[in-house]
């Protein structure tokens, strides 16, 4: 791992930024205090909302932490497809006694305003999802003393990250829960994602910047595996989703290990972009018909998801989860970091012992 990154957190464990109210300051603080790197998710928040969470987190820990931003999205031309999907969801709106959201509620997620806050009030790390920021943005953050990470799902995307001047790349395997951080949303590529270990190898051969591995990692032995494959650290999301500090809905936490939700799928049903979640009724019924229209579909379904949660109906919620969800542990976040470190050390010791026997 590059010294600029290792100096920030002693253990190679990054808590993934999970938007939608999951990655709250209490979770990030607990992870950072335990020696990992805690993260806030600025996605779907206002610039002021992000700033208030940063202030709150700074009151909980003096250790480094990160903030994640969503990149602005290009215009979506086929408004007719969104209208057709809205018509299909009319029954859902009636069932939950709510209105559908406005699909034209905004495309840039307050990107420029959030950047301005992060340049005026620098944090240790800023990461980006859904694309690559400009070199000017990355250089400005570097001058402010901020380490930058950008998600990539292919070696080609990792090359774009390196060329733009980011300090490191997050290799996101297809196993990852939540939204795939593809730089361009190409429907023809649905289902063609790359597994994490293969992706790490491909990216390591393509770029020279450090790699943070993300996707389905739930145990210290898996962290050891991605480190052995060439990653500098592992980013875990679903593993921290079930912790008491997580802001996830209780139904979401329970669903991770509920036998009723046996598997995950990548779906566009809730947001219009491929995202991995537990298979429930909403995903099954609407996933095949959802258009490639992000964030329009996200805005459209937002009231439905909130109403389902309020009604206690997990079958209508977006239950984001990685492929390792059944391995989730309901431990306090700091204790989970300690357990993962112990498992990592044990895996390394076992590998070393096997080497000595040869």
């Amino acid at each position: 791992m590059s010294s600029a990154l290792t100096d920030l957190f002693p253990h190679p464990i990054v808590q993934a930024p999970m938007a939608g109210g999951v990655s709250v300051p209490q979770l990030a603080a607990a992870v950072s205090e335990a020696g990992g790197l805690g993260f806030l998710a600025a996605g779907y928040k206002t610039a002021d909302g992000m700033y208030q969470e940063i202030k709150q987190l700074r009151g909980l820990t003096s250790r480094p932490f990160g903030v994640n931003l969503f990149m602005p999205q290009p215009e979506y031309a086929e408004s007719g497809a969104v209208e057709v999907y809205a018509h299909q969801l009319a029954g859902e709106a009636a069932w939950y006694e709510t209105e559908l959201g406005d699909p034209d509620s905004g495309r840039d997620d307050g990107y420029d305003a959030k950047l301005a806050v992060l340049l005026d009030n620098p944090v240790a790390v800023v990461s980006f999802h859904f694309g690559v920021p400009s070199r000017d943005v990355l250089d400005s953050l570097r001058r402010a003393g901020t380490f930058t990470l950008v998600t990539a799902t292919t070696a080609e995307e990792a090359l774009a990250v390196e060329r733009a001047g980011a300090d490191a790349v997050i290799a996101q395997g297809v196993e990852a829960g939540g939204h795939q951080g593809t730089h361009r949303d190409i429907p023809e590529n649905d289902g063609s994602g790359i597994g994490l270990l293969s992706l790490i190898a491909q990216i390591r051969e393509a770029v020279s910047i450090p790699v943070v591995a993300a996707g389905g990692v739930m145990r210290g032995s898996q962290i050891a595996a991605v480190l052995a494959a060439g990653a500098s650290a592992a980013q875990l999301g679903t593993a921290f989703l079930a912790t008491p500090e997580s802001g996830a809905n209780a139904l979401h936490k329970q669903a991770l290990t509920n036998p009723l939700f046996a598997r995950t799928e990548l779906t566009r049903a809730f947001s219009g972009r491929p995202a991995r979640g537990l298979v429930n009724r909403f995903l099954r019924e609407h996933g095949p018909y959802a258009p490639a229209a992000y964030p329009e579909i996200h805005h459209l379904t937002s009231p439905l998801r909130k109403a389902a949660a309020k009604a206690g109906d997990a079958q209508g919620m977006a239950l984001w989860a990685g492929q390792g969800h059944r391995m989730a542990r309901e431990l306090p976040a700091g204790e989970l970091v300690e357990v993962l470190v112990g498992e990592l050390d044990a895996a390394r010791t076992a590998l070393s012992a096997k080497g000595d026997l040869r």
Side-chain angles (χ1 to χ4, degrees):
M1 193 189 298
S2 73
S3 60
L5 199 55
T6 45
D7 290 346
L8 294 177
F9 51 107
H11 303 311
I13 297 171
V14 178
Q15 167 245 313
M18 294 169 280
V22 178
S23 295
V24 293
Q26 292 81 0
L27 174 59
V31 173
S32 289
E33 283 290 303
L37 182 67
F39 249 97
L40 293 175
Y44 310 135
K45 292 184 174 71
T46 63
D48 183 64
M50 177 194 74
Y51 176 58
Q52 295 304 321
E53 287 204 345
I54 290 172
K55 286 205 304 182
Q56 185 181 353
L57 179 49
R58 283 181 169 144
L60 296 172
T61 182
S62 60
R63 298 190 67 99
F65 60 86
V67 174
N68 174 256
L69 299 182
F70 286 169
M71 293 296 298
Q73 297 300 291
E75 290 293 329
Y76 179 70
E78 298 181 36
S79 59
V82 177
E83 293 172 5
V84 169
Y85 194 56
H87 180 74
Q88 179 178 328
L89 296 179
E92 298 281 353
W95 174 257
Y96 290 115
E97 298 181 339
T98 188
E99 299 291 329
L100 294 174
D102 178 5
D104 299 318
S105 296
R107 308 195 57 77
D108 67 357
D109 200 48
Y111 179 74
D112 290 336
K114 290 172 184 175
L115 273 177
V117 171
L118 292 169
L119 289 171
D120 287 341
N121 304 271
V123 298
V125 182
V126 170
S127 67
F128 298 85
H129 211 57
F130 298 146
V132 186
S134 69
R135 177 171 287 276
D136 286 346
V137 166
L138 294 169
D139 287 347
S140 295
L141 288 167
R142 183 175 296 108
R143 287 192 295 270
T146 297
F147 192 93
T148 55
L149 296 158
V150 182
T151 301
T153 61
T154 65
E156 292 76 17
E157 289 181 349
L159 274 170
V161 171
E162 183 176 54
R163 288 170 183 152
D167 294 311
V169 59
I170 300 170
Q172 187 193 35
V174 73
E175 305 95 332
H179 284 92
Q180 291 284 294
T182 50
H183 296 180
R184 293 177 59 216
D185 186 12
I186 305 173
E188 291 79 10
N189 292 345
D190 283 5
S192 63
I194 304 170
L196 182 56
L197 289 177
S198 294
L199 182 62
I200 294 170
Q202 292 175 34
I203 288 180
R204 286 284 294 156
E205 290 192 2
V207 303
S208 59
I209 56 177
V211 176
V212 175
V217 180
M218 302 291 288
R219 296 286 186 266
S221 57
Q222 293 173 289
I223 298 174
V226 298
L227 296 181
S232 296
Q235 179 172 280
L236 291 73
T238 305
F240 286 105
L241 198 152
T243 64
E245 295 90 345
S246 155
N249 185 286
L251 292 171
H252 193 169
K253 294 181 180 184
Q254 294 161 9
L256 295 174
T257 53
N258 185 338
L260 184 64
F261 304 99
R263 62 189 178 88
T264 64
E265 280 186 13
L266 286 170
T267 184
R268 295 180 180 272
F270 298 100
S271 73
R273 238 184 186 271
R276 184 173 296 283
L278 298 171
V279 176
N280 61 3
R281 178 194 59 78
F282 194 102
L283 188 155
R284 285 193 302 269
E285 292 183 2
H286 302 296
Y289 310 104
Y294 176 88
E296 286 86 352
I297 302 304
H298 163 77
H299 296 314
L300 187 73
T301 67
S302 179
L304 297 178
R305 290 178 273 125
K306 291 175 181 176
K310 185 177 180 179
D313 183 8
Q315 295 294 339
M317 298 168 59
L319 303 173
W320 302 137
Q323 288 184 339
H325 65 95
R326 298 300 290 274
M327 302 168 73
R329 298 178 279 203
E330 296 180 13
L331 297 173
E335 184 179 337
L336 178 56
V337 172
E338 293 175 3
V339 170
L340 289 167
V341 170
E343 292 171 345
L344 169 60
D345 290 342
R348 284 170 159 168
T349 299
L351 287 171
S352 178
K354 287 181 180 179
D356 291 340
L357 291 174
R358 289 195 182 97

